[in-house]
Amino acid sequence: MTITAFKALHQRRQTEHLARHGTRLAERQEDSFDLTLYAVEGFYAETWRSRGEEHILFIHVFQKPAGLGEYLARVQLPANL
């Protein structure tokens, strides 16, 4: 599925597609939100939830690696590498 086709889906269908075809990459918190990053067929999708809630408020979709900055800043490699 292309990013354009994914964006055209209803959020419920986007969530289903992420569950079936997405690879969960990372999680983080921002303010009062829990965010989860997925890789999906050539693009990334980030789900936003209120902290502790299951209901997804919205899904941010992007392709540019610059969108990964908040996640990459948290990666810590072992000192012996």
Side-chain angles (χ1 to χ4, degrees):
M1 175 175 295
T2 66
I3 190 171
T4 303
F6 184 84
K7 285 181 176 182
L9 296 174
H10 184 278
Q11 183 174 305
R12 188 180 81 250
R13 296 284 186 216
Q14 289 178 342
T15 302
E16 291 170 356
H17 191 79
L18 289 177
R20 288 189 190 123
H21 305 286
T23 301
R24 189 180 198 142
L25 298 177
E27 296 178 1
R28 67 184 181 97
Q29 294 181 336
E30 185 170 313
D31 299 324
S32 62
F33 301 101
D34 291 328
L35 288 72
T36 304
L37 177 68
Y38 295 86
V40 190
E41 304 161 15
F43 60 92
Y44 300 98
E46 184 179 58
T47 60
W48 286 65
R49 293 179 166 92
S50 291
R51 187 154 303 139
E53 298 292 326
E54 286 298 316
H55 175 72
I56 294 174
L57 297 173
F58 66 93
I59 300 173
H60 174 231
V61 182
F62 60 96
Q63 286 182 302
K64 295 184 179 180
L68 300 172
E70 289 295 322
Y71 293 95
L72 296 176
R74 299 168 191 271
V75 173
Q76 294 183 343
L77 297 175
N80 60 352
L81 287 182

CSV table of all heavy atoms in Angstrom, one decimal, residues 54-79:
chain,number,residue,atom,x,y,z
A,54,GLU,N,-6.3,3.2,25.4
A,54,GLU,CA,-6.1,2.3,24.2
A,54,GLU,C,-6.6,3.0,22.9
A,54,GLU,O,-6.1,2.7,21.8
A,54,GLU,CB,-6.9,1.0,24.4
A,54,GLU,CG,-6.3,0.1,25.4
A,54,GLU,CD,-4.9,-0.4,24.9
A,54,GLU,OE1,-4.8,-0.7,23.7
A,54,GLU,OE2,-4.0,-0.4,25.8
A,55,HIS,N,-7.5,3.9,23.0
A,55,HIS,CA,-8.1,4.6,21.9
A,55,HIS,C,-7.1,5.5,21.2
A,55,HIS,O,-6.4,6.3,21.8
A,55,HIS,CB,-9.3,5.5,22.3
A,55,HIS,CG,-9.9,6.3,21.2
A,55,HIS,ND1,-10.6,5.7,20.1
A,55,HIS,CD2,-9.8,7.6,20.9
A,55,HIS,CE1,-10.9,6.7,19.3
A,55,HIS,NE2,-10.5,7.8,19.7
A,56,ILE,N,-6.9,5.3,19.9
A,56,ILE,CA,-5.9,6.1,19.1
A,56,ILE,C,-6.6,7.5,18.8
A,56,ILE,O,-7.7,7.5,18.2
A,56,ILE,CB,-5.5,5.4,17.8
A,56,ILE,CG1,-4.7,4.2,18.2
A,56,ILE,CG2,-4.7,6.3,16.9
A,56,ILE,CD1,-4.3,3.3,17.0
A,57,LEU,N,-5.9,8.6,19.1
A,57,LEU,CA,-6.5,9.9,18.8
A,57,LEU,C,-6.2,10.3,17.4
A,57,LEU,O,-7.1,10.8,16.7
A,57,LEU,CB,-5.8,10.9,19.7
A,57,LEU,CG,-6.1,10.8,21.2
A,57,LEU,CD1,-5.2,11.8,22.0
A,57,LEU,CD2,-7.5,11.0,21.5
A,58,PHE,N,-5.0,10.0,16.9
A,58,PHE,CA,-4.7,10.2,15.5
A,58,PHE,C,-3.4,9.5,15.1
A,58,PHE,O,-2.7,9.0,15.9
A,58,PHE,CB,-4.6,11.7,15.1
A,58,PHE,CG,-3.5,12.4,15.7
A,58,PHE,CD1,-2.3,12.6,15.1
A,58,PHE,CD2,-3.6,13.0,17.0
A,58,PHE,CE1,-1.2,13.3,15.6
A,58,PHE,CE2,-2.6,13.7,17.5
A,58,PHE,CZ,-1.4,13.9,16.9
A,59,ILE,N,-3.2,9.3,13.8
A,59,ILE,CA,-2.1,8.7,13.2
A,59,ILE,C,-1.3,9.6,12.3
A,59,ILE,O,-1.9,10.1,11.4
A,59,ILE,CB,-2.5,7.4,12.5
A,59,ILE,CG1,-3.2,6.4,13.4
A,59,ILE,CG2,-1.3,6.7,11.8
A,59,ILE,CD1,-3.8,5.2,12.7
A,60,HIS,N,-0.1,9.9,12.7
A,60,HIS,CA,0.8,10.8,11.9
A,60,HIS,C,1.6,9.9,10.9
A,60,HIS,O,2.2,8.9,11.3
A,60,HIS,CB,1.7,11.5,12.8
A,60,HIS,CG,2.7,12.3,12.1
A,60,HIS,ND1,4.1,12.3,12.4
A,60,HIS,CD2,2.6,13.2,11.1
A,60,HIS,CE1,4.7,13.1,11.6
A,60,HIS,NE2,3.9,13.7,10.8
A,61,VAL,N,1.5,10.2,9.6
A,61,VAL,CA,2.2,9.4,8.6
A,61,VAL,C,3.2,10.2,7.9
A,61,VAL,O,3.0,11.4,7.6
A,61,VAL,CB,1.1,8.9,7.6
A,61,VAL,CG1,1.8,8.0,6.5
A,61,VAL,CG2,0.0,8.1,8.3
A,62,PHE,N,4.4,9.6,7.7
A,62,PHE,CA,5.5,10.4,7.0
A,62,PHE,C,6.5,9.4,6.4
A,62,PHE,O,6.5,8.2,6.7
A,62,PHE,CB,6.2,11.3,8.0
A,62,PHE,CG,6.9,10.5,9.2
A,62,PHE,CD1,8.2,10.2,9.2
A,62,PHE,CD2,6.2,10.2,10.3
A,62,PHE,CE1,8.8,9.5,10.2
A,62,PHE,CE2,6.7,9.5,11.4
A,62,PHE,CZ,8.1,9.2,11.3
A,63,GLN,N,7.3,9.9,5.5
A,63,GLN,CA,8.3,9.1,4.8
A,63,GLN,C,9.7,9.6,5.0
A,63,GLN,O,10.6,8.8,5.0
A,63,GLN,CB,8.1,9.2,3.2
A,63,GLN,CG,6.9,8.4,2.8
A,63,GLN,CD,6.7,8.4,1.3
A,63,GLN,OE1,6.6,9.5,0.7
A,63,GLN,NE2,6.7,7.3,0.7
A,64,LYS,N,9.9,10.9,5.3
A,64,LYS,CA,11.3,11.4,5.5
A,64,LYS,C,11.9,11.0,6.8
A,64,LYS,O,11.3,11.0,7.8
A,64,LYS,CB,11.2,12.9,5.4
A,64,LYS,CG,10.8,13.4,4.0
A,64,LYS,CD,10.8,14.9,3.9
A,64,LYS,CE,10.4,15.3,2.5
A,64,LYS,NZ,10.4,16.7,2.3
A,65,PRO,N,13.2,10.6,6.7
A,65,PRO,CA,13.9,10.1,7.9
A,65,PRO,C,13.9,11.2,9.0
A,65,PRO,O,14.1,10.9,10.2
A,65,PRO,CB,15.2,9.8,7.4
A,65,PRO,CG,15.1,9.5,6.0
A,65,PRO,CD,14.0,10.3,5.5
A,66,ALA,N,13.8,12.5,8.6
A,66,ALA,CA,13.8,13.5,9.6
A,66,ALA,C,12.7,13.3,10.7
A,66,ALA,O,12.9,13.7,11.8
A,66,ALA,CB,13.6,14.9,9.0
A,67,GLY,N,11.6,12.7,10.3
A,67,GLY,CA,10.6,12.4,11.3
A,67,GLY,C,11.0,11.4,12.4
A,67,GLY,O,10.3,11.3,13.4
A,68,LEU,N,12.1,10.8,12.2
A,68,LEU,CA,12.6,9.8,13.2
A,68,LEU,C,13.4,10.4,14.2
A,68,LEU,O,13.8,9.7,15.2
A,68,LEU,CB,13.4,8.7,12.4
A,68,LEU,CG,12.6,7.9,11.4
A,68,LEU,CD1,13.6,7.0,10.6
A,68,LEU,CD2,11.5,7.1,12.0
A,69,GLY,N,13.7,11.7,14.1
A,69,GLY,CA,14.7,12.3,15.0
A,69,GLY,C,14.4,12.1,16.5
A,69,GLY,O,15.3,11.9,17.3
A,70,GLU,N,13.2,12.2,16.9
A,70,GLU,CA,12.8,12.1,18.3
A,70,GLU,C,13.1,10.7,18.8
A,70,GLU,O,13.4,10.4,20.0
A,70,GLU,CB,11.4,12.5,18.6
A,70,GLU,CG,11.1,13.9,18.5
A,70,GLU,CD,11.9,14.8,19.6
A,70,GLU,OE1,11.9,14.3,20.7
A,70,GLU,OE2,12.3,15.8,19.2
A,71,TYR,N,13.0,9.7,17.9
A,71,TYR,CA,13.3,8.3,18.3
A,71,TYR,C,14.8,8.0,18.3
A,71,TYR,O,15.3,7.4,19.2
A,71,TYR,CB,12.5,7.3,17.4
A,71,TYR,CG,11.0,7.4,17.5
A,71,TYR,CD1,10.3,8.2,16.7
A,71,TYR,CD2,10.4,6.7,18.5
A,71,TYR,CE1,8.9,8.3,16.9
A,71,TYR,CE2,9.0,6.8,18.7
A,71,TYR,CZ,8.3,7.6,17.8
A,71,TYR,OH,6.9,7.7,18.0
A,72,LEU,N,15.4,8.5,17.3
A,72,LEU,CA,16.9,8.2,17.1
A,72,LEU,C,17.7,8.9,18.3
A,72,LEU,O,18.7,8.3,18.7
A,72,LEU,CB,17.4,8.7,15.8
A,72,LEU,CG,16.8,8.0,14.6
A,72,LEU,CD1,17.3,8.6,13.3
A,72,LEU,CD2,17.1,6.5,14.6
A,73,ALA,N,17.2,10.0,18.8
A,73,ALA,CA,17.9,10.7,19.9
A,73,ALA,C,17.9,9.8,21.1
A,73,ALA,O,18.8,10.0,22.0
A,73,ALA,CB,17.3,12.0,20.1
A,74,ARG,N,17.0,8.9,21.2
A,74,ARG,CA,16.9,8.0,22.4
A,74,ARG,C,17.7,6.7,22.3
A,74,ARG,O,17.8,6.0,23.3
A,74,ARG,CB,15.4,7.7,22.7
A,74,ARG,CG,14.6,8.9,22.9
A,74,ARG,CD,13.1,8.6,22.9
A,74,ARG,NE,12.3,9.8,22.9
A,74,ARG,CZ,11.9,10.4,23.9
A,74,ARG,NH1,12.2,9.9,25.1
A,74,ARG,NH2,11.2,11.5,23.9
A,75,VAL,N,18.2,6.5,21.1
A,75,VAL,CA,19.0,5.2,20.9
A,75,VAL,C,20.4,5.4,21.6
A,75,VAL,O,21.1,6.3,21.3
A,75,VAL,CB,19.2,4.9,19.4
A,75,VAL,CG1,20.1,3.7,19.3
A,75,VAL,CG2,17.8,4.6,18.8
A,76,GLN,N,20.7,4.4,22.4
A,76,GLN,CA,22.0,4.4,23.1
A,76,GLN,C,22.7,3.1,22.7
A,76,GLN,O,22.2,2.0,23.1
A,76,GLN,CB,21.9,4.6,24.6
A,76,GLN,CG,21.4,5.9,25.0
A,76,GLN,CD,21.3,6.1,26.5
A,76,GLN,OE1,21.4,5.1,27.2
A,76,GLN,NE2,21.2,7.3,26.9
A,77,LEU,N,23.8,3.2,22.1
A,77,LEU,CA,24.6,2.0,21.7
A,77,LEU,C,25.5,1.7,22.9
A,77,LEU,O,26.0,2.5,23.6
A,77,LEU,CB,25.4,2.3,20.5
A,77,LEU,CG,24.6,2.6,19.2
A,77,LEU,CD1,25.6,2.9,18.1
A,77,LEU,CD2,23.8,1.4,18.8
A,78,PRO,N,25.8,0.4,23.1
A,78,PRO,CA,26.7,0.0,24.1
A,78,PRO,C,28.1,0.6,23.9
A,78,PRO,O,28.6,0.8,22.7
A,78,PRO,CB,26.8,-1.6,23.9
A,78,PRO,CG,25.6,-1.9,23.2
A,78,PRO,CD,25.2,-0.8,22.3
A,79,ALA,N,28.8,0.9,25.0
A,79,ALA,CA,30.1,1.6,24.9
A,79,ALA,C,31.2,0.7,24.2
A,79,ALA,O,32.1,1.3,23.6
A,79,ALA,CB,30.6,1.9,26.3
